[in-house]
Amino acid sequence: MLQDDRRLECKITRHARGDVAEVLKLPSGDMLGFCAISEPTKRTVAPEVSLHIPSEAPYKTGPLAETGTLSASHEALVPEMLEGKIGAVRGAPMGSDAWWTALAELPEAHQRPQGFHGFVEGILVSPIGNGLVHGWALHPDDAHIWLEDEMQNVYPLRLAFRRERRDISIAFKNTLWADIESQFIAHFPEVSNNPTIKLRAVTELGLVTISECSGAEFLPYDPRGAAERIFDIESEDRDYHRRAPLIDWPIIKPLIARYRADTVKLTPQVSMFGPPPKTPEVSVIVPLYKRFDFIEHQVIEFIRDPFFRDKVELIYVIDDPEIRLSVLAEAEKLFRLYEMPMRVVSGIRNRGFSGANNLGAIHANGEYLLFLNSDVIPIAPGWLEQMLGAFGAENVGAVGAQLLFPNGGIQHVGMNFEYLADLQIWSNQHTGTGMPAYSADRLAFDVPAVTGACVLIPRDIFTQIGGWDTGYLLGDFEDSHLCFAIRDAGFRILCQPASILTHLERQSFTGIGGDAFRIRMTICNAVRHQGIWQRFLELTPPSHSEQDAAP
Amino acid sequence: MTPAKHRILVTSHGHPDFHMGGGELAAYNLFKTYGTHPDVDAAFFLARHDRGRGPTGVISLRRANEFLWEQGVGDWFRMKMANPRGTTHDFAELIRCLRPSIVHVHHYVHMGLEYLHVIKKIDPSIKIVMTLHEYVAICFNQGQMVKPDTNRLCFRESPEDCHRCFPQHSAEDFWLRKHRYQSFFHHVDHFVAPSDFLRQRYIDWGIAPERIVTIENGQAGGDMLPPRPLPEGETRNRFAFFGQINPFKGVSLLLQGLAGLKKAERRKIVLEIHGANLEHQTQEFQDMIARLRAPLEKEGCLQWIGPYEPFQMASRMAHVDWVVIPSIWWENSPMVIQESFTLGRPLVGSDIGGMAEKISHGVNGVHVPVGNARAWGEMLLRLSGYTEEWDQLRSGIAKPISYKACATAHLQLI
């Protein structure tokens, strides 16, 4: 730079000019731009620029007309000039007043900074008022990048759940940060019904808005439906234990709570078939969901058992509005034929395994409560008395039975817990599955937990622990949660091998399995379960069957 | 001690007035015999009936002490009654009114298993005797213990095996099915098997050996028919098949066996088919029989005689030497075997199940390897060559148990 042909001391920097490259059809704008900054001079003569290109005559621009203060857009063209302002933004806590003030000083970048790419793919809004924003972004690890809504709620992207997106990496393979974990899912504690979400970043070129998305998809009110939708936002099972507490539970948990609160407002319908025993010793509570043809198979066995006639109150809980009328008709028919008194309680809407069992317990009068699945069928009389007999031991809080598959192998003789290192969750495992049945002569033995498919609990202990926990999504873990709560209250859990029933559960997957929904649900529930019961899970001996092999 | 006089209700899945199956006839004959037995005060007969208007549940009088019941089965897999009220009300009324001390159940098909429960509910002191006619409780393939489609013989049931035969029903469903049958069978005081073979199959299935005895179906008395008069130079070469014609009965094996012989050999043999209900079979099966039948009839070695009434049995058997029973399923105690023995005709039968048990090879008949058409042809050819063997086998026939002895054996159970 010259002034009056005198060379000024100046610093020259080079930077990218994508716009120039575009006009000249060059493959890259890297280093096309330059900036010369001289020391301040007092002279009033306008400076000129002289370009020296090897083997070319020097080119002089002549005195440059424009003097005075640089505009924001000029500043934006010169990264060095923004350093201070960028530093001010980065130095303030994201979203704070100071941050917003500093951000207001920063000009918009005149062009997309190199390597920064991203897209807000969707916004899901829960009826509770929170929501999820998901999409992808390519940027350096230390980028100052965030999501903000139209109410200036700011969500730093580094807090989002991130995962690799191979499709993005491949599409942007020639750019700088193509291989980072580009996918993001962010939980917004508060989001409006018609949100506009921007993905923005502060770069050396200034403030840039990478993507903007308006409008939202509304999640259903029902927790299962909401879960199905958010589970659709893909991520690997092995990462799900990280994602669940950040993303899934914040959405599902308040929905479950609200569903439960609304359910309480519904008055259950109770139908009585025949007179129940006046002072029942045991109330047998069987929730019904979808299939109900098992009722007759159970009743055929119950009527063969004299203890049932005299001491047992039978309660079926309809947990599926679809089958309510059919179940009532079936109950009427069965009562006419078998004359086994039963109470049929309809919860009006689906309450899940825990909720249905709790509803049954409200309508039970027995000193003991036996929770029984409808697909568990006794094979000979006497099993319930055997289970009651196990309470003769000291400090027993719950007793389970020996359940067999239809082919005679063990389905359940107590539950154990296994840490699945790949998923980083504790899963419930039945010990000895498929092995030969235990001898009926064997004494009842301590187990870490028993299945909820058949468990006998004194009513006072059940009340003391607050019944079945209804905080899980659909199924899973409610039985181990119940057992841990009983153990937490100072009681033991026993399995009574003399009580043998058939459980018509399919012997399907070992470990956790099923469709994608089922696996994600299990991981979510496992995360909640281990969050509450870590201390018991870690106490668990490696395997019941190993230390106490079947005879 | 003199036993108290019995009041016996016999139940059957059909009335022989309308449907002449072996089980129906056995039940009805037993009912008639009970009625004349000195230890019996009164005997009644209840037969399931179809008037073509569906299972109304109504019970009506057929004639004195004989009733018809319009019940049906709504779920064949679980053998569930079609009309619950027909069982819990109409049938219950019948039991209250007749006050039987014994209900002799000959079947539950077409009626549902539930009526067993109703009997005991009304009066637990009523004894239930159940005669098992085929393997219905064990096998969903019409109680045949033969694999569907392939007709391979089945040797055992299990949820897993049965699910392979009927993939549309899960192994768990088969467990439930068996469990349901066994639950209702708990009400039965005594089981009766007409053959040791069937008894053993039910023991294997889960009935305690002490709860099930073998009693052969009774037969009308009377003398054996004289041997068919043989014209000079002729041999014992006339064979007859009596019974239903369906894929399990093996008639096609006889026809294929004959077709496999040389024409000159066939000329020495006459086979008569006294068969019923071919028209109720699939078109495919009917066509196959027609194709096999035509050339043999033309040649004269096959005579297609058609259905018969029970009273015609003796006159028809008088004109033949041998009775054949080529079934490809196990059978239980086929009525035709006892009838043949009563009338003095040796049998040629498949070498399995109830046939192998009732026909003693070399004593009162001969065995042929099951399902082997060629062996059937050769056996008919061999037997038609002599008269001595026939004479010897005829002399080996023992008189079957009479109606009265059969009824007495049943009453001794109680």
Side-chain angles (χ1 to χ4, degrees):
Chain A
M1 199 176 321
L2 305 170
Q3 193 172 36
D4 282 345
D5 286 337
R6 203 173 64 84
R7 222 166 133 177
L8 295 174
E9 275 302 307
C10 64
K11 184 175 143 198
I12 296 177
T13 62
R14 304 295 297 268
H15 54 93
R17 282 297 293 267
D19 52 341
V20 175
E22 205 177 314
V23 170
L24 299 178
K25 297 200 166 59
L26 297 174
S28 161
D30 283 3
M31 309 295 281
L32 283 183
F34 68 88
C35 175
I37 303 168
S38 78
E39 295 301 312
T41 58
K42 292 208 171 92
R43 305 230 209 146
T44 52
V45 181
E48 66 178 319
V49 174
S50 171
L51 287 172
H52 294 264
I53 298 167
S55 72
E56 295 280 334
Y59 166 75
K60 287 188 184 180
T61 59
L64 293 169
E66 285 184 52
T67 57
T69 320
L70 290 175
S71 70
S73 63
H74 281 118
E75 284 186 8
L77 287 169
V78 186
E80 281 69 15
M81 308 212 58
L82 298 178
E83 271 170 9
K85 292 181 177 179
I86 290 169
V89 175
R90 295 188 73 127
M94 199 180 269
S96 66
D97 288 347
W99 184 81
W100 279 111
T101 309
L103 196 68
E105 290 293 309
L106 199 64
E108 295 267 350
H110 64 283
Q111 65 181 77
R112 165 73 57 92
Q114 235 201 341
F116 279 81
H117 297 277
F119 192 69
V120 179
E121 291 180 312
I123 306 165
L124 299 171
V125 176
S126 159
I128 304 294
N130 58 352
L132 298 181
V133 177
H134 65 102
W136 56 270
L138 298 177
H139 54 82
D141 280 349
D142 64 347
H144 199 73
I145 184 166
W146 68 94
L147 295 162
E148 75 181 59
D149 67 8
E150 75 285 5
M151 295 177 297
Q152 295 200 321
N153 291 312
V154 169
Y155 186 97
L157 207 58
R158 70 187 149 77
L159 299 182
F161 172 80
R162 301 295 292 262
R163 68 181 271 271
E164 189 180 271
R165 276 268 300 261
R166 285 314 300 166
D167 58 331
I168 301 298
S169 301
I170 291 164
F172 289 86
K173 64 175 182 233
N174 293 324
T175 67
L176 288 174
W177 300 295
D179 291 317
I180 72 157
E181 293 184 323
S182 59
Q183 163 104 23
F184 63 81
I185 312 173
H187 169 244
F188 273 55
E190 201 185 331
V191 60
S192 74
N193 277 341
N194 188 19
T196 295
I197 302 285
K198 290 177 180 170
L199 172 64
R200 307 182 87 185
V202 166
T203 70
E204 58 175 15
L205 300 186
L207 175 62
V208 61
T209 299
I210 301 167
S211 174
E212 186 173 327
C213 175
S214 287
E217 177 186 339
F218 295 98
L219 289 172
Y221 166 76
D222 135 64
R224 185 200 168 113
E228 279 173 353
R229 179 61 192 90
I230 65 177
F231 289 178
D232 270 352
I233 304 172
E234 192 54 42
S235 53
E236 285 69 30
D237 293 340
R238 59 189 308 282
D239 292 331
Y240 226 92
H241 70 280
R242 279 199 298 118
R243 168 179 151 165
L246 285 176
I247 304 300
D248 300 84
W249 274 117
I251 297 292
I252 298 166
K253 189 182 169 184
L255 286 174
I256 290 176
R258 180 156 152 192
Y259 188 89
R260 192 172 46 204
D262 290 344
T263 304
V264 171
K265 295 174 196 154
L266 297 168
T267 310
Q269 293 176 344
V270 183
S271 311
M272 193 64 224
F273 299 88
K278 284 211 172 60
T279 51
E281 196 169 336
V282 183
S283 298
V284 172
I285 297 165
V286 188
L288 298 172
Y289 182 74
K290 287 194 175 155
R291 268 185 88 161
F292 59 89
D293 57 311
F294 296 126
I295 301 177
E296 184 172 6
H297 294 283
Q298 290 188 326
V299 167
I300 289 171
E301 282 301 327
F302 295 160
I303 52 168
R304 287 210 293 140
D305 196 331
F307 181 76
F308 255 79
R309 270 272 175 216
D310 305 335
K311 302 280 189 191
V312 175
E313 170 189 61
L314 180 58
I315 301 170
Y316 281 98
V317 181
I318 304 174
D319 193 35
D320 180 356
E322 294 283 321
I323 62 168
R324 192 176 74 86
L325 295 175
S326 310
V327 170
L328 289 173
E330 175 80 355
E332 177 74 43
K333 218 157 69 181
L334 293 180
F335 179 69
R336 247 186 231 154
L337 180 60
Y338 301 111
E339 293 176 356
M340 172 86 203
M342 65 170 85
R343 181 171 289 135
V344 178
V345 181
S346 165
I348 311 299
R349 79 194 314 197
N350 175 241
R351 294 166 189 242
F353 179 71
S354 284
N357 273 335
N358 286 340
L359 179 62
I362 291 170
H363 291 86
N365 303 300
E367 290 169 50
Y368 288 83
L369 307 176
L370 179 91
F371 297 97
L372 188 69
N373 278 13
S374 66
D375 62 349
V376 175
I377 317 280
I379 44 189
W383 60 277
L384 186 51
E385 285 165 280
Q386 295 276 13
M387 287 180 85
L388 277 171
F391 283 94
E394 224 168 277
N395 239 4
V396 178
V399 173
Q402 175 168 203
L403 305 181
L404 304 181
F405 285 114
N407 58 23
I410 289 173
Q411 191 267 331
H412 169 270
V413 281
M415 291 199 303
N416 204 345
F417 306 95
E418 185 187 344
Y419 187 70
L420 305 179
D422 54 341
L423 301 175
Q424 301 193 37
I425 57 166
W426 285 89
S427 84
N428 291 3
Q429 297 294 340
H430 289 188
T431 46
T433 305
M435 298 300 115
Y438 282 16
S439 161
D441 298 333
R442 198 168 157 165
L443 294 175
F445 50 89
D446 282 277
V447 287
V450 291
T451 175
C454 179
V455 56
L456 183 63
I457 309 170
R459 168 196 279 287
D460 51 354
I461 295 178
F462 182 77
T463 310
Q464 184 189 334
I465 60 160
W468 293 85
D469 183 274
T470 52
Y472 292 93
L473 177 63
L474 305 182
D476 296 338
F477 300 103
E478 284 127 327
D479 41 15
S480 47
H481 186 109
L482 182 89
C483 291
F484 286 147
I486 291 170
R487 285 168 61 187
D488 200 31
F491 298 100
R492 297 157 64 194
I493 312 288
L494 297 186
C495 175
Q496 170 60 283
S499 298
I500 302 175
L501 300 90
T502 295
H503 192 178
L504 295 167
E505 194 164 85
R506 299 256 172 108
Q507 201 170 348
S508 50
F509 293 93
T510 168
I512 71 161
D515 57 14
F517 175 79
R518 181 100 216 147
I519 291 171
R520 284 160 196 194
M521 181 185 85
T522 301
I523 298 172
C524 282
N525 284 330
V527 165
R528 176 170 187 267
H529 185 244
Q530 64 206 30
I532 304 170
W533 301 113
Q534 192 73 30
R535 64 190 189 281
F536 281 112
L537 290 165
E538 283 172 357
L539 270 183
T540 299
S543 162
H544 172 74
S545 57
E546 278 167 31
Q547 61 165 221
D548 193 10
Chain B
M1 197 181 98
T2 317
K5 286 239 183 183
H6 296 296
R7 295 172 65 81
I8 306 182
L9 169 66
V10 177
T11 63
S12 170
H13 52 305
H15 197 294
D17 286 0
F18 309 106
H19 192 264
M20 201 84 74
E24 291 91 329
L25 278 167
Y28 191 72
N29 289 334
L30 196 55
F31 149 70
K32 295 301 267 185
T33 313
Y34 279 145
T36 60
H37 199 281
D39 293 344
V40 176
D41 193 33
F44 310 96
F45 188 64
L46 173 71
R48 182 264 176 180
H49 188 53
D50 181 4
R51 285 202 175 87
R53 58 178 187 175
T56 61
V58 168
I59 293 178
S60 53
L61 196 63
R62 168 68 179 163
R63 62 177 70 86
N65 296 337
E66 295 180 30
F67 302 87
L68 301 177
W69 186 20
E70 286 179 277
Q71 182 55 287
V73 160
D75 177 348
W76 281 93
F77 188 74
R78 292 169 185 79
M79 200 55 76
K80 273 184 147 172
M81 58 191 175
N83 184 330
R85 196 177 149 80
T87 296
T88 57
H89 177 80
D90 298 71
F91 178 77
E93 276 298 296
L94 182 82
I95 295 293
R96 286 191 200 98
C97 174
L98 300 182
R99 290 175 291 106
S101 55
I102 300 171
V103 178
H104 190 155
V105 170
H106 269 265
H107 233 311
Y108 44 78
V109 299
H110 293 295
M111 295 174 282
L113 289 161
E114 294 89 344
Y115 82 92
L116 301 174
H117 175 80
V118 169
I119 295 166
K120 290 285 185 177
K121 190 172 85 175
I122 291 170
D123 183 356
S125 75
I126 298 175
K127 299 290 182 204
I128 299 180
V129 176
M130 180 188 278
T131 298
L132 298 161
H133 286 289
E134 47 310 80
Y135 312 94
V136 170
I138 306 175
C139 174
F140 184 52
N141 191 23
Q142 300 170 59
Q144 307 281 294
M145 292 199 79
V146 167
K147 311 262 179 190
D149 303 327
T150 61
N151 285 337
R152 276 177 49 223
L153 292 169
C154 170
F155 292 84
R156 56 159 194 276
E157 57 75 30
S158 78
E160 220 55 64
D161 286 291
C162 298
H163 168 61
R164 285 176 66 90
C165 282
F166 295 94
Q168 67 271 38
H169 294 287
S170 67
E172 289 75 17
D173 286 340
F174 275 105
W175 184 90
L176 276 175
R177 180 183 185 275
K178 176 174 179 177
H179 180 260
R180 182 176 158 85
Y181 269 95
Q182 291 192 329
S183 297
F184 281 104
F185 280 14
H186 282 303
H187 292 306
V188 176
D189 297 278
H190 298 281
F191 290 96
V192 175
S195 68
D196 289 332
F197 180 81
L198 178 134
R199 176 173 179 266
Q200 190 55 49
R201 284 283 163 114
Y202 275 95
I203 290 171
D204 295 345
W205 176 75
I207 294 180
E210 62 275 15
R211 294 179 67 211
I212 180 165
V213 298
T214 305
I215 302 175
E216 180 54 88
N217 293 318
Q219 297 299 315
D223 296 327
M224 283 188 183
L225 295 167
R228 176 174 71 93
L230 283 186
E232 187 58 34
E234 215 181 278
T235 55
R236 294 287 171 200
N237 67 344
R238 293 191 80 91
F239 301 85
F241 170 92
F242 292 91
Q244 313 260 338
I245 299 181
N246 65 43
F248 299 116
K249 291 290 186 181
V251 168
S252 59
L253 295 170
L254 298 175
L255 306 185
Q256 286 161 347
L258 284 178
L261 297 176
K262 297 190 182 94
K263 194 169 179 181
E265 293 170 336
R266 276 199 293 274
R267 215 171 281 141
K268 300 174 187 163
I269 302 170
V270 177
L271 172 66
E272 297 181 359
I273 303 289
H274 302 261
N277 293 335
L278 176 59
E279 64 277 14
H280 297 147
Q281 304 303 317
T282 62
Q283 193 57 48
E284 193 188 359
F285 181 75
Q286 292 188 44
D287 292 346
M288 180 195 65
I289 294 290
R291 269 198 312 278
L292 291 169
R293 177 182 153 180
L296 297 171
E297 274 187 293
K298 201 169 160 195
E299 259 180 37
C301 73
L302 175 67
Q303 296 179 7
W304 201 272
I305 303 190
Y308 58 94
E309 293 296 322
F311 77 89
Q312 296 172 302
M313 184 63 126
S315 61
R316 293 202 181 190
M317 242 182 229
H319 298 293
V320 300
D321 305 307
W322 307 89
V323 173
V324 293
I325 176 158
S327 297
I328 60 163
W329 77 290
W330 305 99
E331 294 282 4
N332 165 23
S333 175
M335 189 155 288
V336 71
I337 294 180
Q338 302 306 322
E339 288 166 341
S340 303
F341 286 155
T342 302
L343 297 171
R345 293 293 179 263
L347 279 125
V348 190
S350 303
D351 62 345
I352 55 162
M355 295 168 288
E357 176 186 329
K358 304 293 177 183
I359 304 166
S360 302
H361 184 70
V363 175
N364 51 19
V366 290
H367 294 172
V368 176
V370 64
N372 186 336
R374 192 185 141 122
W376 273 100
E378 285 169 358
M379 182 60 84
L380 298 194
L381 179 65
R382 180 170 81 76
L383 295 174
S384 65
Y386 309 96
T387 62
E388 300 77 12
E389 191 168 359
W390 187 89
D391 293 339
Q392 184 213 324
L393 294 173
R394 175 179 157 98
S395 68
I397 294 172
K399 201 172 176 60
I401 182 176
S402 70
Y403 289 143
K404 184 163 181 204
C406 174
T408 303
H410 280 98
L411 291 171
Q412 279 167 354
L413 290 175
I414 305 298

